[in-house]
Amino acid sequence: MSNTPTQPEPTLPPFDPATFNRQITRAAIVHRLAIGTTLAMLAAILLVPALLDTEAQRLPTLLAVFLVPAIWLPITLTTQRVARLLPQVGATLTTDPERAEHLIANALNSRPVMTWARLLTYHRLAALRHQQRRFDETASICQHILSQPLTGPAAAAKPSLLLILTEAHLALGNLVGAYHTLSELHRTRLGLAGAMQRLALQTRYALKAGAYEHALDHGRQKMQLAELMPPPQCGVMHAMLAEAAKQTGRGKLAAWLWERAQLISPPHLFDQLKQGTFNIEVVQHEDTAHEPA
């Protein structure tokens, strides 16, 4: 048996906006140069032969045959490799954060890569930092990704980024930031899971802002939606509504909601809820990685 020590998993440094901007700019430049070279080769094939003799007409075609694949092949292969890493990150975020960080580090160290793949890698980093409760870093990463044009496969990450950013703002006590991201979420098309997460975050926002009556608006519909959530999130929703009922003097409703929260929640979570700690993870990571066609 070998006594060679295993290599430590690479640990990413804190998020650096300058590094992010540099990587995104580099990816965009490489992509544009590749497209520009391809278009130039196509133009040469179509236009140059008309100006040259028969023997010279073959040159643009030969250049295109060898040069275009030489440009696109490394970009495509590296991007595909990164795209295959991203679902693995999503699968290990909660079960093995060290492994997730190792995979993200490998993806960020891969180049050349298309911009959408780089942005989705940072999306996974935001989800990991959120899971680790490093909310300052989470918020910064999400804000920088959302400041970029989200096109191609990266466009599907916008709802998740807004949900994560909203929860990070709430955890940091940034009600102004949470208000703006919730407003953006209401303008964003969400599936059922995203809509339930938005409801939970909106309820948390109302409690933090002291808008207890607003938190109880359409209470019956909110409780029905809560029943569709996974048990931890369902328990949190009932606890938040119970707190709103208590603050508005509806004692019987509050007692009933607390009983439901206790029935649904594991003991350690219910203890947190009774202490008024509602900032557990209500955002569930949704994988949005796709390999290029």
Side-chain angles (χ1 to χ4, degrees):
M1 183 180 293
S2 174
N3 292 324
T4 303
T6 58
Q7 293 296 319
E9 298 287 332
T11 301
L12 290 167
F15 175 71
D16 177 30
T19 300
F20 171 86
N21 291 331
R22 185 166 57 251
Q23 289 185 337
I24 297 302
T25 300
R26 186 186 296 126
I29 290 172
V30 169
H31 197 187
R32 288 168 187 166
L33 285 175
I35 293 174
T37 303
T38 302
L39 293 176
M41 288 293 99
L42 291 175
I45 292 171
L46 295 173
L47 301 176
V48 173
L51 306 175
L52 300 175
D53 56 51
T54 304
E55 290 297 325
Q57 288 176 8
R58 300 176 182 176
L59 182 60
T61 301
L62 290 173
L63 283 175
V65 168
F66 290 102
L67 188 57
V68 171
I71 292 172
W72 280 104
L73 192 59
I75 300 173
T76 302
L77 290 177
T78 306
T79 300
Q80 287 179 337
R81 186 166 61 249
V82 169
R84 285 192 293 269
L85 286 175
L86 297 182
Q88 298 179 48
V89 175
T92 57
L93 277 175
T94 56
T95 59
D96 192 352
E98 290 186 5
R99 175 64 176 164
E101 185 147 341
H102 173 75
L103 294 169
I104 292 171
N106 285 342
L108 289 177
N109 288 330
S110 300
R111 60 180 66 86
V113 69
M114 292 184 185
T115 307
W116 68 261
R118 187 68 78 209
L119 290 170
L120 285 180
T121 303
Y122 273 104
H123 171 224
R124 298 306 188 279
L125 180 59
L128 176 63
R129 294 295 180 248
H130 189 72
Q131 183 73 28
Q132 296 168 332
R133 312 190 70 77
R134 293 164 60 172
F135 296 118
D136 280 317
E137 200 170 342
T138 300
S140 182
I141 297 170
C142 289
Q143 287 167 335
H144 279 82
I145 299 173
L146 288 166
S147 72
Q148 300 293 321
L150 296 179
T151 58
K158 183 178 179 181
S160 175
L161 287 163
L162 287 169
L163 290 165
I164 293 172
L165 180 55
T166 302
E167 189 171 30
H169 280 323
L170 289 171
L172 294 168
N174 181 2
L175 295 184
V176 174
Y179 172 82
H180 288 300
T181 50
L182 281 169
S183 298
E184 183 65 24
L185 277 168
H186 279 282
R187 294 190 294 268
T188 302
R189 186 173 182 177
L190 301 174
L192 177 60
M196 289 190 295
Q197 292 167 10
R198 181 182 62 194
L199 172 64
L201 293 170
Q202 186 172 319
T203 305
R204 282 181 56 190
Y205 171 82
L207 291 183
K208 282 184 172 289
Y212 302 112
E213 288 287 353
H214 180 70
L216 287 173
D217 283 349
H218 308 291
R220 185 177 297 276
Q221 291 92 324
K222 288 179 179 179
M223 284 184 277
Q224 290 173 343
L225 276 175
E227 297 293 341
L228 300 177
M229 297 178 181
Q233 287 73 43
C234 181
V236 172
M237 272 299 298
H238 280 82
M240 290 191 295
L241 293 173
E243 180 64 20
K246 175 185 173 183
Q247 294 294 335
T248 55
R250 303 173 190 179
K252 290 184 178 180
L253 177 60
W256 182 82
L257 287 166
W258 275 120
E259 287 178 4
R260 288 286 299 156
Q262 185 173 18
L263 179 66
I264 297 166
S265 307
H268 74 278
L269 174 57
F270 185 71
D271 290 340
Q272 295 178 29
L273 297 176
K274 289 296 287 184
Q275 295 170 14
T277 304
F278 303 126
N279 59 333
I280 68 159
E281 308 302 327
V282 295
V283 174
Q284 300 297 304
H285 177 69
E286 295 181 3
D287 206 300
T288 53
H290 300 276
E291 291 189 22

